[in-house]
């Protein structure tokens, strides 16, 4: 008998996989032999020297394959005893065919929701992102990051970067008539984020939360998710009917500058009545100021918060409606007594805004680019509004066209909203029926018309189609 290691009696023919890649091919061939129990548990593999001669590959290639099998737990290598199979393979795994190449399934495209796409006539409340100067924004992002350094990126500011909060407060003092400071500002991802924080923090199950009717549907749903009893308050030509507000409510939500969706402005008398009610009822008022920057006929009224001498108003604003929807940066101005509990909720939910976008906004606001963008977009939106109104036939009634990103088109007598929207869809138009936003009130048939995310050419083309439907 010859001295040394006994030769393995297992016949491992040269695999075809070696032609594609020797090291990977050797590994796959040995692994398949183990999984198929061609090399059963406890059996000894051929030596790398003998297998290298049989497969006509270098010994180093096989050493690398053996090492990989050892690291993955398929074999055990003991000096003086050779390499033995140590993996015990479950029956259900052995029964499954071993694929040489994993087949990847096709990825389903993740498309934006069809109801909120820009450049679809006439989807409402969408800004035109093409008006936004991306080169200026890129420079602001770069300057902001370079000026900040790693310290700002590492620091935790759940309420937002101090520099950004100071600039937001300065803008609101100058353009919305509010007397506020940076320590009253909380940076959010948008108005809905702010409403969610307010609902989670201020509302308890069974509390009454008042909303406008017709009104902003997400506000009603968010308050309901918090366990509140949501009470719809009718909106008239002067805005929210403050006479209907109950004395026991916890809060009231309003969009006073350009009511969503009717587009009316809350009158001064009703603003004062609303604040008086909040003070008497020890309630809070949530002001949604989503598109107040766009007033085409005159200077807009100052924010409701500017009249808030008793600190009952929580003001919600957003950069997503006047810069571009994908930015996801908004803000709240809150009474100081509520700042700490709101920040605790924000930290618990983990929805703080990323530092990069905040640093870019610091540069964008500080350089005056934000105000310049508002001025240019306001002129563009006014031109689009005028072009669309010119397309409509005489005698058609519209409202809310004096400001904002949409107006209401009241349908002729006898025309049903659902039927009109179906015929519009067949003509390539996406319209929202007014009834979709109503809870208890019943209003004449009307549809919401958004025009700001369309070019002038699109407005003229689709405006003629809308006029034909009318």
């Amino acid at each position: 008998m010859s001295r040394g290691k006994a030769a393995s009696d297992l016949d491992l023919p040269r695999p075809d996989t070696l032609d594609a890649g020797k090291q990977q091919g050797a590994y796959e061939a040995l692994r398949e032999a183990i999984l198929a129990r061609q090399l059963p548990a406890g059996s000894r593999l051929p030596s790398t020297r003998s297998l290298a001669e049989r497969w006509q590959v270098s010994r180093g290639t096989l050493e690398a394959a053996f090492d990989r099998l050892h690291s993955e737990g398929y074999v055990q290598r003991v000096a003086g005893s050779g390499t033995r199979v140590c993996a015990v393979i479950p029956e259900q795994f052995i029964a499954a065919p071993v694929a040489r190449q994993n087949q990847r399934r096709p990825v389903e495209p993740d498309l934006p929701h069809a109801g909120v796409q820009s450049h679809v006539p006439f989807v409402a409340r969408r800004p035109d992102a093409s008006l936004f100067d991306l080169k200026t924004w890129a420079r602001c992002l770069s300057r902001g990051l370079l000026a900040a350094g790693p310290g700002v990126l590492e620091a935790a500011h759940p309420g937002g970067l101090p520099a950004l909060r100071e600039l937001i407060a300065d803008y609101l003092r100058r353009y919305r008539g509010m007397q506020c400071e940076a320590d009253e500002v909380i940076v959010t991802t948008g108005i809905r984020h702010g409403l969610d924080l307010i609902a989670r923090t201020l509302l308890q199950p069974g509390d009454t939360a008042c909303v406008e009717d017709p009104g902003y549907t997400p506000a009603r749903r968010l308050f309901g998710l918090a366990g509140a009893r949501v009470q719809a308050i009718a909106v008239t030509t002067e805005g929210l009917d403050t006479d209907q507000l109950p004395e026991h409510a916890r809060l009231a939500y309003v969009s006073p500058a350009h009511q969503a969706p009717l587009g009316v402005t809350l009158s001064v008398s009703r603003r004062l009545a609303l604040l008086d009610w909040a003070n008497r009822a020890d309630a809070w008022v949530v002001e949604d100021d989503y598109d107040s920057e766009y007033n085409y006929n005159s200077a807009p009224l100052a924010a409701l918060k500017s009249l808030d001498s008793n600190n009952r108003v929580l003001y919600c604003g957003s950069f997503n409606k006047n810069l571009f929807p994908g930015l996801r940066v908004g803000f709240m101005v809150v009474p100081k007594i509520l700042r700490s509990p709101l920040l605790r909720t924000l930290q618990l939910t983990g929805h703080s805004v990323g530092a990069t976008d905040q640093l870019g906004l610091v540069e964008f606001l500080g350089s005056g680019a934000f105000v310049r963008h508002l001025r240019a977009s306001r002129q563009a939106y006014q031109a689009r509004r005028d072009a669309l109104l010119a397309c409509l036939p005489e005698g058609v009634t519209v409202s809310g066209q004096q400001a904002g990103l949409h107006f209401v088109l009241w349908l002729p007598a006898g025309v049903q909203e659902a039927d009109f929207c179906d015929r519009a869809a067949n003509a390539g138009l996406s319209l929202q029926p007014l009834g979709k936003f109503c809870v208890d009130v019943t209003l004449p048939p009307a549809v919401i018309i958004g025009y700001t995310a369309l070019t002038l050419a699109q407005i003229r083309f689709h405006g003629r189609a809308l006029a034909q439907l009318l």
Side-chain angles (χ1 to χ4, degrees):
M1 178 181 292
S2 60
R3 296 175 61 84
K5 299 177 181 178
S8 172
D9 58 352
L10 296 171
D11 183 20
L12 293 175
R14 188 179 192 276
D16 296 334
T17 55
L18 291 176
D19 298 330
K22 293 184 178 180
Q23 186 180 120
Q24 179 67 19
Y27 161 79
E28 291 180 358
L30 292 169
R31 179 177 176 273
E32 283 192 27
I34 293 172
L35 295 177
R37 286 189 176 175
Q38 185 180 355
L39 293 172
S43 64
R44 186 169 61 83
L45 271 67
S47 67
T48 55
R49 185 186 302 277
S50 62
L51 198 58
E53 293 176 357
R54 188 183 310 169
W55 285 3
Q56 298 179 356
V57 296
S58 69
R59 189 178 176 186
T61 296
L62 291 175
E63 287 287 349
F66 276 38
D67 286 342
R68 183 173 174 185
L69 290 169
H70 171 65
S71 67
E72 294 178 0
Y74 289 100
V75 300
Q76 185 178 19
R77 307 194 75 181
V78 180
S81 299
T83 303
R84 293 184 179 275
V85 177
C86 63
V88 179
I89 310 302
E91 293 295 332
Q92 65 268 24
F93 189 85
I94 298 170
V98 181
R100 291 185 178 273
Q101 185 175 1
N102 292 332
Q103 297 295 323
R104 297 184 61 181
R105 64 172 178 81
V107 178
E108 296 181 3
D110 185 14
L111 299 176
H113 190 276
V116 294
Q117 294 185 58
S118 298
H119 305 294
V120 174
F122 290 96
V123 173
R125 295 180 295 279
R126 298 287 290 181
D128 186 358
S130 66
L131 297 175
F132 186 69
D133 190 343
L134 289 176
K135 291 183 177 179
T136 298
W137 178 243
R139 288 194 295 268
C140 289
L141 286 173
S142 178
R143 285 199 301 265
L145 285 169
L146 292 175
V152 171
L153 301 181
E154 296 170 359
H157 294 286
L161 295 180
L164 178 58
R165 290 189 283 113
E166 181 58 55
L167 286 168
I168 292 173
D170 179 67
Y171 170 79
L172 294 174
R173 286 192 297 266
R174 286 192 293 160
Y175 292 95
R176 298 300 291 131
M178 295 165 51
Q179 295 302 314
C180 62
E181 300 298 337
D183 59 357
E184 300 170 76
V185 177
I186 296 177
V187 177
T188 66
T189 63
I191 289 177
R192 272 185 291 181
H193 181 205
L195 296 178
D196 184 42
L197 290 175
I198 292 169
R200 292 172 185 263
T201 307
L202 300 185
L203 294 177
Q204 299 293 329
D207 285 347
T208 298
C210 299
V211 298
E212 298 168 318
D213 189 12
Y216 185 48
T217 303
R220 186 170 69 246
R221 292 178 177 174
L222 288 169
F223 298 154
L225 286 175
R229 187 175 69 88
V230 181
Q231 182 171 339
I233 306 296
V235 175
T236 70
T237 55
E238 292 188 64
L240 184 79
D241 187 354
T242 53
D243 291 336
Q244 296 185 22
L245 291 170
E247 293 297 329
H248 59 276
R250 179 62 171 162
L251 64 81
Y253 163 87
V254 292
S255 49
H258 188 245
Q259 198 272 336
L262 291 179
V264 299
T265 300
L266 187 64
S267 66
V268 174
S269 60
R270 287 199 174 175
R271 291 176 184 231
L272 296 174
L274 176 61
L275 294 174
D276 180 62
W277 165 84
N279 193 43
R280 291 195 324 270
D282 192 25
W284 303 103
V285 176
V286 181
E287 178 180 9
D288 184 343
D289 205 35
Y290 68 101
D291 66 356
S292 63
E293 287 86 0
Y294 299 111
N295 195 291
Y296 309 121
N297 298 346
S298 62
L301 284 175
L304 175 66
K305 179 69 175 173
S306 67
L307 302 174
D308 183 26
S309 58
N310 293 311
N311 285 324
R312 308 308 305 178
V313 177
L314 295 88
Y315 176 94
C316 298
S318 176
F319 294 107
N320 308 324
K321 293 295 187 185
N322 42 41
L323 295 182
F324 57 95
L327 180 60
R328 309 317 308 161
V329 181
F331 52 90
M332 295 192 298
V333 179
V334 302
K336 287 186 179 181
I337 192 174
L338 297 180
R339 176 176 169 81
S340 293
L342 284 166
L343 285 179
R344 285 196 295 269
T345 304
L346 190 151
Q347 289 178 286
L348 179 63
T349 56
H351 289 165
S352 299
V353 179
T356 303
D357 286 337
Q358 291 191 66
L359 290 170
L361 276 172
V362 168
E363 293 292 328
F364 199 74
L365 270 69
S367 66
F370 178 64
V371 174
R372 291 194 296 272
H373 171 79
L374 288 181
R375 188 180 302 116
S377 58
R378 187 184 297 114
Q379 293 175 351
Y381 295 161
Q382 182 173 358
R384 297 171 191 188
R385 180 206 64 170
D386 294 344
L388 181 55
L389 291 175
C391 293
L392 301 180
E394 292 185 11
V396 170
T397 302
V398 298
S399 62
Q401 76 277 17
Q402 78 284 353
L405 307 177
H406 75 277
F407 61 76
V408 177
L409 173 64
W410 300 92
L411 299 179
V415 177
Q416 299 298 316
E417 288 179 353
D419 177 63
F420 188 81
C421 289
D422 288 343
R423 290 192 290 117
N426 293 332
L429 309 180
S430 179
L431 304 180
Q432 291 177 301
L434 180 61
K436 175 183 176 182
F437 301 90
C438 297
V439 180
D440 297 326
V441 301
T442 301
L443 297 174
V447 291
I448 313 300
I449 304 293
Y451 51 88
T452 49
L454 302 172
T455 65
L456 283 173
Q458 288 174 317
I459 283 177
R460 294 188 180 103
F461 178 81
H462 296 295
R464 288 193 292 269
L466 179 62
Q468 289 176 359
L469 289 175
L470 292 168

